[in-house]
Amino acid sequence: MNRTANFEVSFVLTKAGQEMVPYLWRHAVLENGIEAEQLNLQNGPGQEMIRLGNVVSVFEPDLQPYSIYSDAISGPIPGDLLYNPAALQEAYQFITIGRTRVSGRAAQQLRIVSRDSKRYNYQVWLDEETGMLLKLDMVDLQGSLLEQIQVTGVNVSELPSPYFARINPQALPGPVAMTPKPRQHQWEVNFLPVGMHEIKRETRRLAMTGQVVEYKLFSDGMVDVSVYVQPAQESLDSDVVLRHSTNTFLSLTNGQVQITIIGKIPPQTAYEIARSIRAAGE
């Protein structure tokens, strides 16, 4: 349904202690068979992402527009949940709860439970008629609500939205080619939650300090975890752990390196990942 239908969905993202953020999500299969998609942040100066086929163009305030190769837009709703839920079964267990109603539509409720209790859990409500997502709750290990996505409107149509006819593909920025072979890092992460795998690695030099920062991105299909390793800062003599809404920020020093973990995971899991990092080959 999410790949083959023409639809327009309005939803709001709510995090504990923060204002609701409204989004508009459009999807279409064009006359030439190309899949098209748009995600638009409705409040403030606006943020928009447009996908034509396997190219996503990103438009943000005060930043140069750019495009990357991807077969899905990266938004608040996890891509694997929308397009490839079977890929989540290594990390999560799906439990059927029963029928209910959401946004005036008959829905099936499911629980998505971390297999190792190292991540947050989810509740999801799917439209019985179309299978589309109607509501998604992220809850902590005690069951308290951390984040909610609530669909407020669904319009499925035979023809694509007129919006897509107004897109000029030649006016979109050209896609940025990614580095085909990542640089080998001199460290390894020896603990990850079940079903979480490395999907990206980079080495960057910070413009302000000139320090080299090595970066790896891990994902289980529902959440991403970023790991940064750099030479230790003399000013950091103690661990720093912050939890802002759903995100945990952890920074600690291990010998001669400073390790930073950022992601939608419990602080204890961030500590376990950080403390498992060793020099390659140890």
Side-chain angles (χ1 to χ4, degrees), residues 115-147:
R115 291 189 181 274
D116 57 7
S117 300
K118 298 296 184 181
R119 285 148 297 189
Y120 300 129
N121 299 319
Y122 301 85
Q123 296 191 68
V124 60
W125 289 260
L126 302 176
D127 183 62
E128 278 197 343
E129 180 182 353
T130 65
M132 294 185 66
L133 178 77
L134 295 178
K135 186 178 175 182
L136 176 66
D137 288 354
M138 175 191 285
V139 297
D140 65 18
L141 299 181
Q142 289 72 47
S144 299
L145 182 65
L146 297 174
E147 180 179 290

Side-chain angles (χ1 to χ4, degrees), residues 110-224:
L110 305 171
R111 291 182 65 207
I112 305 176
V113 181
S114 170
R115 291 189 181 274
D116 57 7
S117 300
K118 298 296 184 181
R119 285 148 297 189
Y120 300 129
N121 299 319
Y122 301 85
Q123 296 191 68
V124 60
W125 289 260
L126 302 176
D127 183 62
E128 278 197 343
E129 180 182 353
T130 65
M132 294 185 66
L133 178 77
L134 295 178
K135 186 178 175 182
L136 176 66
D137 288 354
M138 175 191 285
V139 297
D140 65 18
L141 299 181
Q142 289 72 47
S144 299
L145 182 65
L146 297 174
E147 180 179 290
Q148 182 178 88
I149 292 171
Q150 170 76 60
V151 169
T152 56
V154 178
N155 179 30
V156 181
S157 58
E158 290 187 13
L159 298 176
S161 165
Y163 165 83
F164 293 104
R166 298 194 294 269
I167 297 176
N168 178 7
Q170 282 70 42
L172 299 175
V176 177
M178 305 303 290
T179 304
K181 185 177 180 181
R183 177 175 168 178
Q184 184 66 34
H185 290 171
Q186 300 305 309
W187 52 276
E188 297 174 345
V189 176
N190 293 295
F191 168 80
L192 288 169
V194 171
M196 187 163 281
H197 304 282
E198 180 182 326
I199 60 173
K200 185 179 181 181
R201 66 171 64 184
E202 293 179 348
T203 301
R204 304 172 181 173
R205 185 175 295 276
L206 300 180
M208 294 292 292
T209 64
Q211 279 190 311
V212 173
V213 178
E214 294 185 340
Y215 161 73
K216 291 181 181 178
L217 179 66
F218 301 89
S219 180
D220 62 14
M222 288 293 286
V223 294
D224 296 342

